[in-house]
């Protein structure tokens, strides 16, 4: 087990108490068990988007994952805390002593909703092996690319057999959304290979009770969950993409908890609310569409790299709360760089632009509704003006922006000159780099850079288990991306949340996602 220290959480303590001890623990928290059950405790929280796909293989983003971590269970899950440890969830045993053949045993009695019966090892096999099914079209197929088969050895037992070493298995696959277990019977009964916004059958502490698109996502307790009982009876998620609107809703008392903009942190310091700020496993960068004729010349792209003063951008946007990034991989992950190859040099930028015959170039910057990025855009606009580039600002709804960047058949991607679309990641560098391969062009590779050689090196890094070699490989991968001229690294940032008094929140270690099942009274 990859635990960095021995810890017994409240959740684990309750598991060890047994049924009688659990009743006593609940009574201590709420007075009596009857009062606890009758309170109808409801948590109201902001979700940063509406549901798109509740499928572990093709989920849309963390707005889906927030729901999925509550309604599905995996063999293991990330623990609540600052370390990226994993702990048992639907499994009572996960033996990784043989990294190519991982034995597991399920907790007996976990029931899928909608009458689809008990979770068995067959469901584990189906959940993981379907990532290779062409009919599923798994966006996150690389998470299980090393899987050979899941051998079922009993009703609750099995062995995950790999065909090659896979370093991220216990960092970004099994504890993450790609490790969630779905019902084989439910998917087969649906007649579809994949899952949309109807989860078909839930296997976690909560179930999806109601969804009104763009209004509310309501979760209630799953009566078939036999694991630790969550504190809240209901959870209401409100899909609010704009963080400023979410802060307004929190101030009005309509939300109990919300993520806030980094530049809003000082406003909540010293208040009765609980302020949570953690370093983000995220990465923001300026991407350049290399297939756009205006940016086809690498001299133009290199000029833009030299024209951008990242330190000035970060200071203006976050006021010293965030440091500049030197690459895509965020510290403390292996492969985090400590310098860039092409830094701020406006004289060199002007010379390159002149060599390319591109003085007076008109470009646009496309980005979503994040207020922090609006500040980035305004500073960038002023910096590019100093070398003779006229930058116009195209702010739009994030979903609309992504749809345009992914519009290959209609040619919408041709409207993209420069783009900023921050990504978040898991605690493994393979999750950072996998979006910049050739097969991601027109999907999440908005720069449209493509190198088969780079792809091969990226695939090799996933298999490398020597820590020092692996770190060097990811540094080199980022060096080569920067050499294309299509990337300017900005920041990794922090994630900040504010929660009403009386509530103890719970988040992933980087606070990107709220662990709804772990929220409780403080």
């Amino acid at each position: 087990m990859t635990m960095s220290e021995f810890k017994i959480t409240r959740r684990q303590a309750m598991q060890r108490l047994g049924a009688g001890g659990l009743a006593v623990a609940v009574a201590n928290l709420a007075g009596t068990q009857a009062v606890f059950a009758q309170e109808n405790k409801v948590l109201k929280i902001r979700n940063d988007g509406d549901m798109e796909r509740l499928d572990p293989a093709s989920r849309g983003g963390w707005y889906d994952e927030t729901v999925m971590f509550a309604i599905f269970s995996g063999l293991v899950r990330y623990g609540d805390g600052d370390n990226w440890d994993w702990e048992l969830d639907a499994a009572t045993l996960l033996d990784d002593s043989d990294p190519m053949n991982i034995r597991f045993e399920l907790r007996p009695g976990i029931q899928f909703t909608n009458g689809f019966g008990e979770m068995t090892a067959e469901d584990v096999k189906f959940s993981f092996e379907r990532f290779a099914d062409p009919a599923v079209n798994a966006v996150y197929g690389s998470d299980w690319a090393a899987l050979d088969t899941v051998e079922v050895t009993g009703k609750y037992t099995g062995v995950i057999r790999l065909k090659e070493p896979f370093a991220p298995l216990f960092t970004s696959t099994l504890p993450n959304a790609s490790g969630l277990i779905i019902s084989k019977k439910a998917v087969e009964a649906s007649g579809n290979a994949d899952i949309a916004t109807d989860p078909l059958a839930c296997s976690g502490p909560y179930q999806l009770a109601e969804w009104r698109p763009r209004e509310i996502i309501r979760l209630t307790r799953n009566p078939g969950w036999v694991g630790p009982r969550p504190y809240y009876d209901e959870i209401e998620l409100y899909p609010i993409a704009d963080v400023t609107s979410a802060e307004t809703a929190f101030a009005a008392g309509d939300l109990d908890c919300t993520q806030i903009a980094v530049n809003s942190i000082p406003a909540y310091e010293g208040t009765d609310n609980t302020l949570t700020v953690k370093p983000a496993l995220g990465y923001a960068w300026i991407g350049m569409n290399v297939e756009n004729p205006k940016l086809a010349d690498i001299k133009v792209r290199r000029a833009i790299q030299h024209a951008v003063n990242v330190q000035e951008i970060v200071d203006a946007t976050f006021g010293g709360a965030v440091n500049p990034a030197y690459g895509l991989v965020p510290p403390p992950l292996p492969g985090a760089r400590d310098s860039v190859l092409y830094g701020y040099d406006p004289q060199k930028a002007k010379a390159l632009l002149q060599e390319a015959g591109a003085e007076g170039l008109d470009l646009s910057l496309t980005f979503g509704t994040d207020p922090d990025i609006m500040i980035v855009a305004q500073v960038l606009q002023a910096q590019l003006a100093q070398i003779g580039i006229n930058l116009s600002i195209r702010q739009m709804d994030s979903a609309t922006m992504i749809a345009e960047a992914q519009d290959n058949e209609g040619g919408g991607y041709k409207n993209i000159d420069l783009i900023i679309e921050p990504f978040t990641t898991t605690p493994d560098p393979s999750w950072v780099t996998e979006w910049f391969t050739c097969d991601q062009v027109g999907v999440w590779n908005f720069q449209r850079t493509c190198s088969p050689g780079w792809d091969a090196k990226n695939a090799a890094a996933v298999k490398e288990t020597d820590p020092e070699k692996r770190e060097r490989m990811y540094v080199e991968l980022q060096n080569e991306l920067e050499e294309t001229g299509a990337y300017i690294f900005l920041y990794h940032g922090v994630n900040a949340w504010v929660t009403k008094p009386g509530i103890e929140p719970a988040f992933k270690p980087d606070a990107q996602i709220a662990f709804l099942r772990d929220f409780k009274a403080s």
Side-chain angles (χ1 to χ4, degrees):
M1 199 167 174
T2 55
M3 303 290 286
S4 61
E5 59 180 332
F6 180 75
K7 297 184 295 184
I8 297 181
T9 64
R10 172 180 179 273
R11 179 169 49 257
Q12 293 166 326
M14 284 190 168
Q15 281 181 279
R16 298 177 187 186
L17 283 171
L22 178 58
V24 173
V26 169
N28 288 338
L29 282 173
T32 68
Q33 193 170 10
V35 171
F36 182 92
Q38 294 172 5
E39 284 181 351
N40 191 31
K41 297 173 291 296
V42 179
L43 174 70
K44 298 181 179 181
I45 188 168
R46 175 246 186 175
N47 205 29
D48 65 347
D50 206 354
M51 295 191 308
E52 290 184 2
R53 294 181 299 277
L54 300 180
D55 192 322
S58 58
R59 58 203 185 267
W62 48 86
Y63 37 83
D64 288 327
E65 292 176 1
T66 299
V67 177
M68 293 168 67
F69 284 128
I71 66 173
F72 296 129
S73 56
L75 295 176
V76 296
R77 62 185 295 244
Y78 292 123
D80 171 35
D82 293 333
N83 300 316
W84 289 96
D85 302 328
W86 56 264
E87 61 190 32
L88 295 174
D89 189 18
T92 58
L93 167 73
L94 191 69
D95 180 1
D96 63 337
S97 57
D98 179 353
M100 297 290 288
N101 300 279
I102 299 97
R103 295 188 302 113
F104 68 86
E105 182 172 346
L106 287 172
R107 184 195 307 269
I110 298 175
Q111 299 293 321
F112 285 106
T113 58
N114 296 327
F116 285 106
E118 187 180 13
M119 179 188 292
T120 70
E122 287 289 347
D123 295 302
V124 177
K125 178 180 177 68
F126 175 78
S127 297
F128 299 167
E129 290 185 357
R130 68 189 288 269
F131 277 71
D133 183 352
V136 174
N137 191 26
V139 175
Y140 296 91
S142 60
D143 282 354
W144 283 109
L147 180 66
D148 182 13
T149 186
V150 177
E151 179 187 351
V152 174
T153 58
K155 184 176 182 180
Y156 305 116
T157 60
V159 183
I160 301 169
R161 300 196 185 280
L162 303 184
K163 56 190 176 185
E164 58 190 8
F166 187 64
L169 184 63
F170 286 94
T171 55
S172 62
T173 296
L174 280 172
N176 204 24
S178 291
L180 295 173
I181 303 166
I182 59 176
S183 168
K184 177 182 179 181
K185 292 179 181 178
V187 174
E188 291 178 343
S190 74
N192 297 312
D194 53 6
I195 298 172
T197 52
D198 179 354
L200 304 179
C202 300
S203 63
Y206 290 96
Q207 60 184 337
L208 180 62
E210 179 184 17
W211 177 44
R212 297 199 300 269
R214 297 179 297 280
E215 291 184 23
I216 190 172
I217 304 162
R218 189 165 64 89
L219 309 180
T220 57
R221 292 186 188 277
N222 175 8
W225 173 246
V226 297
R229 177 184 174 92
Y231 177 78
Y232 283 94
D233 301 305
E234 293 186 14
I235 297 176
E236 296 178 354
L237 296 101
Y238 293 89
I240 306 172
D242 179 48
V243 69
T244 302
S245 298
E247 290 180 37
T248 301
F250 180 84
D254 297 327
L255 294 175
D256 298 320
C257 180
T258 184
Q259 195 164 15
I260 62 174
V262 175
N263 56 27
S264 296
I265 292 173
Y268 294 99
E269 292 176 336
T271 69
D272 292 335
N273 300 301
T274 297
L275 179 64
T276 303
V277 182
K278 294 186 179 183
L281 282 189
Y283 46 112
W285 74 99
I286 300 167
M288 305 181 212
N289 180 2
V290 299
E291 293 185 12
N292 188 306
K294 292 184 288 187
L295 294 164
D297 189 339
I298 191 173
K299 290 181 181 178
V300 174
R301 303 197 298 272
R302 188 77 76 228
I304 295 172
Q305 285 180 315
H306 283 306
V308 178
N309 185 336
V310 175
Q311 183 71 61
E312 183 180 57
I313 287 175
V314 170
D315 287 346
T317 306
F318 302 112
V322 170
N323 295 320
Y326 301 113
L328 296 174
V329 177
L333 301 189
R337 302 194 310 174
D338 56 11
S339 62
V340 296
L341 304 177
Y342 300 98
Y344 179 56
D345 189 336
Q347 296 306 314
K348 187 174 292 186
K350 289 179 182 178
L352 284 166
L353 210 58
Q354 186 176 27
E355 287 180 33
E359 300 101 320
L361 184 64
D362 293 320
L363 294 174
S364 65
L365 173 69
T366 303
F367 58 98
T369 56
D370 188 325
D372 292 331
I373 299 181
M374 173 57 82
I375 300 173
V376 172
Q378 292 169 339
V379 178
L380 178 64
Q381 187 179 49
Q383 291 179 353
L384 293 187
Q386 293 176 3
I387 68 163
I389 292 178
N390 305 308
L391 184 70
S392 60
I393 291 175
R394 298 178 73 227
Q395 185 178 33
M396 61 182 69
D397 173 80
S398 294
T400 303
M401 178 192 71
I402 292 171
E404 181 180 70
Q406 294 177 339
D407 179 15
N408 300 302
E409 294 183 5
Y413 73 91
K414 296 177 182 178
N415 296 327
I416 303 296
D417 296 345
L418 309 185
I419 187 170
I420 301 177
E421 171 59 10
F423 284 6
T424 56
T425 188
T426 62
D428 193 273
S430 64
W431 246 72
V432 177
T433 57
E434 69 175 292
W435 314 110
F436 305 97
T437 57
C438 293
D439 62 4
Q440 284 292 321
V441 170
V443 184
W444 292 109
N445 182 351
F446 302 145
Q447 296 72 219
R448 309 181 78 88
T449 52
C450 173
S451 166
W454 190 93
D455 289 4
K457 292 178 182 178
N458 187 56
V462 175
K463 303 173 188 178
E464 181 56 62
T465 55
D466 181 279
E468 292 184 2
K469 290 181 181 178
R470 196 162 188 251
E471 180 161 8
R472 289 196 297 269
M473 293 170 81
Y474 281 106
V475 168
E476 182 59 30
L477 285 167
Q478 292 170 91
N479 289 347
E480 291 187 20
L481 287 181
E482 189 177 356
E483 288 285 1
T484 68
Y487 300 82
I488 302 172
F489 312 115
L490 293 175
Y491 52 84
H492 301 297
V494 298
N495 288 316
W497 293 74
V498 63
T499 310
K500 283 184 177 179
I503 299 173
E504 184 177 326
F507 306 100
K508 285 177 74 172
D510 63 344
Q512 179 60 52
I513 290 177
F515 280 156
L516 303 177
R517 58 197 284 186
D518 296 324
F519 274 62
K520 58 189 177 183
S522 60

